[in-house]
Amino acid sequence: MQTNKQYLLFLFVVIVGGFCVLAQEGKVTPLNIEAQKDSITAPLFPSAIIRDSSATDSLAVDSLNQKPPLLLDKITYKAKDYVKLSQQENKIYLYNEAEIYYQDTELKAGIIIMDYIKNEVYAGRMKDSLGNYSQLPYFKQGSNIVIPDSIRFNFDTQKALIWNSRTEQQAAAGQLGSDAMKVYAEITKKENDSVYFLSEAKLTTSKDTIDPDYYIRVRKAKFVPKKKVIAGFSNLYIADVPTPIAMPFAYFPLSVGRSAGILMPSFGNNPNTGYFLQDMGYYVPLGDYADVTLSGDFYTNGSYAFRTASIYTKRYKYRGNVNLRYENQVRSQKGFSDYSLSKNYNIQFSHSQDPKSSPNSRFSASVNLGSTNYYQNSLQQRNLPLTQNNNLSSSISYSKTFPAYPSVNMSLTATHSQNTSPQARENPELKNISMTLPTFQASMERIYPFVKRDGIKKGIIQNINFQYDVNAQNRLTTNDDDFLTGRMFEGAKVGARHRIPISTNFKVAKFFSVSVGGNYEDVWTLETYNKRFDATTSKIVTDTLKGFDRYNKYNFSTSIGTTLYGTFDFGEDKKIQAIRHTMRPSISYGYAPSFDQFYDEYLDGNGNVVQFSRFQGTLNGAPSLGKSNSVGFSLANTLEAKVRDKDSTKIEPKKVPLLSNFNISTGYNFESDSLRLNPLSINGGTNILNNKMSINFSAGLDPYAIDNNGRRIDTWNVDNGGSLFRLTRANMNVSYSISSDMFGKKEDDEKEEEEDPFDYVAQSGGRDDDLFGKADSFSDNPIQDKDTNEDVENPIYGTKIPWNFRLAYSASYLNSARQNEFSSHSLMFSGDIELAPRWKIGGSSGYDFKNNGFTLTQLRFQRDLKSFSMRFNWTPFGQYKRWYFFIGISSSILKDLKWENRSQPIRN
């Protein structure tokens, strides 16, 4: 009898162990569902067995038909109300909170019944007196979990029937939640270890599986966990309402990690380009560390565009991306006067290296170059902020450090700067592109020859130090037509500059800091220029002299400065307890001789002697002609206050900056015959209102008057009937940001910063804020559900409505020649208001006071529909007048289920 029990228990455990195959291809998680009525009839307890817990069958079991026991571990089982082995029915019954444990297998359910003759096991729920079901089956083996309504499994055929199964398939390794595909089926048939057949299934990415926002109803389907779902007729349901979006058959990839696939295009019509397909492409993963996206646009008028985007990353090593874009733009039709054909391109490349991967060497890159008109005339003008960008810049550098004393740092850099202002776009012949290919720099650490390396440096002798550095460049300038062709290297300038600065510093009378130094430079070039007057043509002829040439120059400088403090005490009982004024006056002197030996002469057509240097026009220019002998004055100021803290528990007052800096500087030239005093330069800045407002200003004040032609004359402005100083220029920039968080309770713990959606714009040379608007690429950055607490579904907002506001004011005044005009004068602002947790509106605009018109204006509307995201951007007027609408599923698995529509910008 004991042998029979062991055999039956072993057979039950082996059958239960077969359930692990239901989850071996994908993690199946409990989904917090409500119990529903069973779709099968569970085996019932015989009434005799329920009345009596003892065995009623006295017939011996045939020992010839018994199988040898193969139990490997001890099996543990229990139930709250009932545990019974029935030899008459060849079944084991566990009732109410039934549990069985064997090795790494765990099974819990309201009722568990095993038929060891048919080799079938059943686990189901319990039904109370009110007809409600509870205690759903819970099967776990290792980390795999199954929680259906009921399960029936046959050990001989390895097949199973599962009622009301719910599984959650990962979209990528370690990525669950809203990006996971939930698969629900009324009946699931397990054919083998990796193939399941579903009947009346629902597929969704909604978090709420009881009442999902949407689901795809599938009548019949083949399900391969973590790989795919192949379905028959399927259609989309939204809020349990069927939609006309249907397919006779469907394929849903469920691969873990990245997999290749087609990118669904957008359809539309444009009066300028005709009907189009946009963003049609293909995604290809390249190993474990990189991928590439190939996409394109096609228009019926002949225009087309191709794009590639690749991202690569390796943890603790490096990360970067490469974007290539090309557009062939056709306007109008051949034969018409407004027909045009243009080709635009844009290249972006960024690479960053983890400093820990190689402490003594580093490679970095930030490239953004292309056609001057690319962002303004792109066929897909989604990046609205970049249309206001007037500069493209790039830098690729490699640096190497040799740490042995004296350490040497070397770097090789290629740079690019491109002017994309309206003037450059309207004048193709303008050389608006500057490049260095490459720049070589090397520097040696500072050496103190009169003191040990780790010794204390005191006095004028021990503080004597010198360095060495070299800078060599190949610089060229070109335009759009010659860029990336052999003509771009015409007129390139090559040169190098070696520099050895020597300096020392010491104290005088305790309070005065004195520094003395000199600088020696040796400049090399590979070509020079000779000038002569040609009497035949009556023109000055410049001859280029190929070959190595050099010159040297040197200078001397010294400065003395100190720091003064002034404190005004108002008393500790006052709100403002004290104000401290810090002043740092300094006087500097500089001297450089005249380098006449590097200058030559020629006679012009009038017989006048003209001096020139053969180094004029070279990379580093020519040495100065004429002695330099000048003194400079500067005064730096800071102003801060001690304010009693509003928190009465704090003893120490807090420091509030009133003026972060306020600097005044001028100079006097001893060698000048007139106009010896330099204009007075003033600049300053401060942050107020808890650093929410930033103010910066600068101005120029000239003590000399000007004549009727706007030229400075050797006459004091006050003697010419004016004021002591003449305002020649002024500039002010004010920025201010405020949000509802300032008026709420401060959080003790800092929140993790979210990824800034404007990082891409900033890296491309644009602004890092939304004062010029936000990009329209909604499908690439869908709204993500940030609310993890379902209690915020219907919040009471009242006066607690989240909002933010940003303002920027800029004004530049010019009056150097009595222009008395503002060269620029504008006010920009932007903000967002979250009317509800999932409903946000915002906008950005500004006003140009100089041109009397509004700047780039954008209105934004955003609605998060849990599983869906909906956005609408509108630029109501101006050169880039347009609108853009998008609605689609937020999850990346079904992001192709979307609808977007846009207008086209007005082109000048």
Side-chain angles (χ1 to χ4, degrees):
M1 188 65 181
Q2 182 67 24
T3 304
N4 292 339
K5 289 184 178 181
Q6 291 178 348
Y7 163 69
L8 294 175
L9 293 176
F10 162 72
L11 182 59
F12 168 74
V13 171
V14 173
I15 294 175
V16 170
F19 285 120
C20 68
V21 298
L22 296 177
Q24 65 181 357
E25 294 295 331
K27 184 175 180 182
V28 185
T29 60
L31 297 176
N32 189 25
I33 61 173
E34 295 181 356
Q36 298 179 7
K37 187 175 181 180
D38 257 328
S39 56
I40 64 170
T41 303
L44 301 178
F45 285 105
S47 58
I49 294 179
I50 296 178
R51 290 192 304 266
D52 188 1
S53 61
S54 61
T56 59
D57 188 4
S58 60
L59 183 63
V61 180
D62 188 359
S63 60
L64 296 178
N65 295 327
Q66 294 186 20
K67 298 179 181 179
L70 296 175
L71 288 178
L72 301 178
D73 287 341
K74 181 180 178 180
I75 187 169
T76 303
Y77 59 90
K78 64 179 180 178
K80 183 178 180 180
D81 290 348
Y82 193 84
V83 176
K84 185 65 179 180
L85 172 64
S86 174
Q87 295 183 358
Q88 181 180 4
E89 295 184 339
N90 300 314
K91 294 178 181 178
I92 298 176
Y93 296 88
L94 303 175
Y95 190 77
N96 194 7
E97 298 183 8
E99 299 180 11
I100 291 180
Y101 302 92
Y102 175 70
Q103 292 185 348
D104 63 342
T105 303
E106 176 183 346
L107 177 63
K108 299 178 182 179
I111 177 173
I112 298 176
I113 302 174
M114 189 190 74
D115 189 323
Y116 52 81
I117 296 299
K118 296 180 180 179
N119 286 345
E120 287 185 358
V121 64
Y122 169 84
R125 303 166 293 176
M126 286 185 58
K127 184 177 181 181
D128 59 18
S129 60
L130 299 177
N132 299 322
Y133 286 95
S134 61
Q135 299 188 35
L136 277 71
Y138 174 90
F139 173 76
K140 179 180 180 183
Q141 185 175 45
S143 60
N144 298 320
I145 299 174
V146 178
I147 303 184
D149 287 353
S150 55
I151 303 176
R152 185 174 296 219
F153 180 79
N154 187 285
F155 177 75
D156 293 334
T157 62
Q158 294 291 310
K159 296 181 180 181
L161 287 177
I162 307 171
W163 283 264
N164 296 331
S165 64
R166 295 165 178 85
T167 63
E168 185 172 293
Q169 297 293 311
Q170 299 180 12
Q175 186 177 8
L176 290 171
S178 61
D179 260 354
M181 175 73 79
K182 285 85 172 179
V183 181
Y184 165 82
E186 291 185 2
I187 300 177
T188 302
K189 180 181 178 182
K190 174 183 174 295
E191 185 68 20
N192 52 48
D193 291 342
S194 60
V195 177
Y196 301 80
F197 293 98
L198 310 178
S199 175
E200 286 298 331
K202 297 179 181 179
L203 282 71
T204 182
T205 58
S206 175
K207 289 184 177 180
D208 188 354
T209 56
I210 299 175
D211 187 18
D213 302 331
Y214 82 99
Y215 58 85
I216 300 173
R217 181 187 173 190
V218 177
R219 277 67 175 178
K220 294 181 180 180
K222 179 181 178 182
F223 173 42
V224 180
K226 277 194 174 182
K227 290 186 178 180
K228 59 188 175 181
V229 174
I230 302 175
F233 180 76
S234 308
N235 66 307
L236 180 67
Y237 279 64
I238 298 179
D240 285 329
V241 177
T243 68
I245 302 176
M247 297 169 287
F249 59 90
Y251 175 85
F252 302 94
L254 301 176
S255 301
V256 173
R258 301 167 301 154
S259 60
I262 297 174
L263 303 178
M264 297 300 294
S266 300
F267 306 90
N269 180 32
N270 183 334
N272 296 327
T273 58
Y275 292 96
F276 60 77
L277 290 175
Q278 289 185 345
D279 296 322
M280 182 171 61
Y282 196 78
Y283 171 82
V284 182
L286 304 176
D288 296 332
Y289 307 111
D291 61 13
V292 62
T293 301
L294 307 174
S295 60
D297 307 333
F298 301 93
Y299 303 82
T300 55
N301 79 326
S303 299
Y304 59 87
F306 293 104
R307 291 178 296 276
T308 64
S310 178
I311 299 176
Y312 60 90
T313 179
K314 189 172 184 180
R315 184 173 294 182
Y316 309 123
K317 291 292 185 178
Y318 52 78
R319 64 182 304 172
N321 64 79
V322 180
N323 297 324
L324 306 176
R325 306 165 184 171
Y326 176 81
E327 294 185 355
N328 186 85
Q329 300 181 7
V330 178
R331 302 297 177 194
S332 186
Q333 299 291 332
K334 286 187 177 181
F336 289 87
S337 59
D338 58 346
Y339 171 80
S340 65
L341 174 64
S342 60
K343 298 179 181 181
N344 291 334
Y345 66 92
N346 180 253
I347 301 173
Q348 291 185 1
F349 168 55
S350 68
H351 178 91
S352 60
Q353 177 181 318
D354 193 320
K356 297 179 182 178
S357 63
S358 181
N360 295 325
S361 63
R362 183 175 179 83
F363 174 78
S364 63
S366 177
V367 175
N368 184 23
L369 58 87
S371 303
T372 302
N373 298 326
Y374 179 80
Y375 286 120
Q376 287 72 23
N377 295 336
S378 175
L379 290 170
Q380 279 200 353
Q381 205 172 62
R382 292 178 175 177
N383 295 311
L384 187 64
L386 294 179
T387 60
Q388 308 301 300
N389 181 22
N390 290 328
N391 183 69
L392 302 178
S393 59
S394 307
S395 176
I396 303 176
S397 65
Y398 173 78
S399 60
K400 177 73 175 177
T401 300
F402 299 92
Y405 181 81
S407 64
V408 177
N409 295 322
M410 295 194 307
S411 66
L412 200 63
T413 307
T415 63
H416 150 265
S417 179
Q418 185 173 355
N419 181 11
T420 61
S421 64
Q423 293 80 7
R425 297 196 299 267
E426 294 170 1
N427 187 1
E429 298 181 356
L430 181 66
K431 291 193 173 184
N432 60 329
I433 302 176
S434 300
M435 304 185 71
T436 59
L437 295 174
T439 297
F440 172 78
Q441 288 181 298
S443 62
M444 183 183 66
E445 74 170 294
R446 194 181 303 270
I447 296 177
Y448 294 82
F450 299 106
V451 68
K452 293 182 179 179
R453 184 180 180 186
D454 55 352
I456 300 176
K457 306 170 184 64
K458 294 180 63 177
I460 186 172
I461 300 299
Q462 292 185 348
N463 274 296
I464 294 177
N465 63 86
F466 68 91
Q467 287 180 286
Y468 167 76
D469 64 75
V470 58
N471 181 290
Q473 294 185 18
N474 174 31
R475 184 181 301 171
L476 52 93
T477 58
T478 184
N479 54 27
D480 276 4
D481 295 335
D482 297 338
F483 188 51
L484 299 180
T485 65
R487 297 188 301 273
M488 66 182 289
F489 296 98
E490 297 177 0
K493 298 179 180 180
V494 182
R497 183 185 70 246
H498 305 263
R499 191 171 67 95
I500 302 178
I502 303 175
S503 64
T504 185
N505 60 82
F506 53 93
K507 290 280 188 178
V508 174
K510 287 187 180 180
F511 303 108
F512 295 92
S513 299
V514 180
S515 64
V516 180
N519 186 61
Y520 173 81
E521 289 188 13
D522 202 88
V523 180
W524 296 355
T525 183
L526 296 183
E527 65 179 18
T528 54
Y529 305 98
N530 182 47
K531 293 185 178 182
R532 56 186 175 84
F533 180 75
D534 189 346
T536 304
T537 59
S538 299
K539 294 182 179 179
I540 299 174
V541 179
T542 301
D543 299 321
T544 301
L545 306 178
K546 299 291 185 179
F548 175 81
D549 205 344
R550 57 169 293 276
Y551 69 86
N552 61 339
K553 62 179 182 178
Y554 48 89
N555 59 66
F556 167 82
S557 63
T558 183
S559 65
I560 182 171
T562 188
T563 303
L564 304 175
Y565 300 93
T567 304
F568 305 91
D569 291 318
F570 301 105
E572 295 184 357
D573 58 334
K574 305 294 184 181
K575 184 175 182 179
I576 300 178
Q577 298 179 0
I579 294 178
R580 186 172 73 169
H581 181 203
T582 304
M583 296 181 292
R584 293 181 175 85
S586 65
I587 302 176
S588 60
Y589 172 76
Y591 174 82
S594 177
F595 299 94
D596 301 340
Q597 65 273 28
F598 300 111
Y599 281 79
D600 298 313
E601 299 177 348
Y602 69 88
L603 295 176
D604 62 8
N606 300 323
N608 300 321
V609 177
V610 179
Q611 287 185 312
F612 76 96
S613 174
R614 64 183 184 276
F615 297 100
Q616 290 176 346
T618 60
L619 179 67
N620 294 292
S624 60
L625 177 63
K627 184 167 54 175
S628 174
N629 187 14
S630 62
V631 62
F633 308 92
S634 66
L635 176 64
N637 301 267
T638 59
L639 198 65
E640 58 183 359
K642 284 187 177 181
V643 180
R644 186 173 68 247
D645 201 301
K646 294 181 179 180
D647 189 351
S648 59
T649 60
K650 294 184 178 180
I651 302 175
E652 296 293 330
K654 63 179 181 180
K655 295 181 181 180
V656 178
L658 301 179
L659 268 179
S660 300
N661 61 84
F662 181 71
N663 307 317
I664 304 173
S665 62
T666 187
Y668 187 84
N669 188 359
F670 294 103
E671 298 298 326
S672 177
D673 296 332
S674 62
L675 305 175
R676 293 187 174 186
L677 187 64
N678 296 335
L680 197 68
S681 178
I682 299 175
N683 64 81
T686 188
N687 294 319
I688 60 176
L689 302 178
N690 290 330
N691 294 324
K692 294 297 181 182
M693 176 175 284
S694 174
I695 302 174
N696 294 280
F697 57 89
S698 64
L701 301 174
D702 195 344
Y704 293 103
I706 58 175
D707 59 15
N708 293 331
N709 295 323
R711 292 176 299 186
R712 299 175 70 201
I713 57 177
D714 192 12
T715 302
W716 299 112
N717 192 61
V718 68
D719 295 336
N720 199 40
S723 58
L724 182 61
F725 290 98
R726 181 172 52 87
L727 181 64
T728 58
R729 60 175 179 84
N731 179 268
M732 173 174 283
N733 292 284
V734 180
S735 62
Y736 178 67
S737 62
I738 189 173
S739 66
S740 58
D741 296 337
M742 298 174 56
F743 304 96
K745 184 178 179 181
K746 296 182 179 179
E747 298 289 343
D748 295 333
D749 300 330
E750 293 184 359
K751 296 181 179 179
E752 182 180 357
E753 292 186 1
E754 299 173 2
E755 184 178 353
D756 189 353
F758 303 106
D759 284 346
Y760 165 76
V761 179
Q763 292 173 1
S764 302
R767 298 182 64 95
D768 57 357
D769 53 38
D770 61 349
L771 290 174
F772 283 158
K774 294 183 180 180
D776 294 332
S777 186
F778 300 155
S779 58
D780 296 336
N781 298 287
I783 302 176
Q784 297 296 328
D785 186 4
K786 301 176 184 178
D787 299 326
T788 58
N789 187 358
E790 295 299 331
D791 293 338
V792 301
E793 178 66 24
N794 296 303
I796 301 176
Y797 260 32
T799 58
K800 194 65 176 179
I801 298 179
W803 56 270
N804 59 75
F805 179 75
R806 291 163 296 280
L807 181 144
Y809 172 78
S810 176
S812 297
Y813 175 76
L814 189 62
N815 192 36
S816 58
R818 295 196 184 97
Q819 301 98 318
N820 190 25
E821 65 177 8
F822 282 93
S823 56
S824 64
H825 191 195
S826 61
L827 175 70
M828 295 184 295
F829 51 87
S830 67
D832 297 284
I833 301 176
E834 191 171 346
L835 300 177
R838 303 178 184 276
W839 176 246
K840 182 186 293 185
I841 62 174
S844 58
S845 184
Y847 192 81
D848 188 343
F849 297 98
K850 177 178 174 59
N851 298 316
N852 295 323
F854 283 94
T855 61
L856 185 65
T857 300
Q858 183 189 60
L859 300 177
R860 301 182 292 270
F861 306 88
Q862 175 179 323
R863 175 66 174 170
D864 188 350
L865 302 170
K866 292 187 178 180
S867 301
F868 292 85
S869 62
M870 181 174 66
R871 295 189 183 185
F872 179 73
N873 281 7
W874 180 33
T875 303
F877 52 81
Q879 178 183 358
Y880 301 101
K881 176 181 178 181
R882 66 199 193 174
W883 56 265
Y884 192 107
F885 176 81
F886 170 89
I887 184 171
I889 295 178
S890 302
S891 173
S892 61
I893 300 178
L894 298 176
K895 67 178 182 179
D896 290 330
L897 289 178
K898 63 182 180 179
W899 183 73
E900 56 183 330
N901 200 0
R902 67 179 72 92
S903 66
Q904 295 296 321
I906 299 175
R907 305 186 184 276
N908 294 333

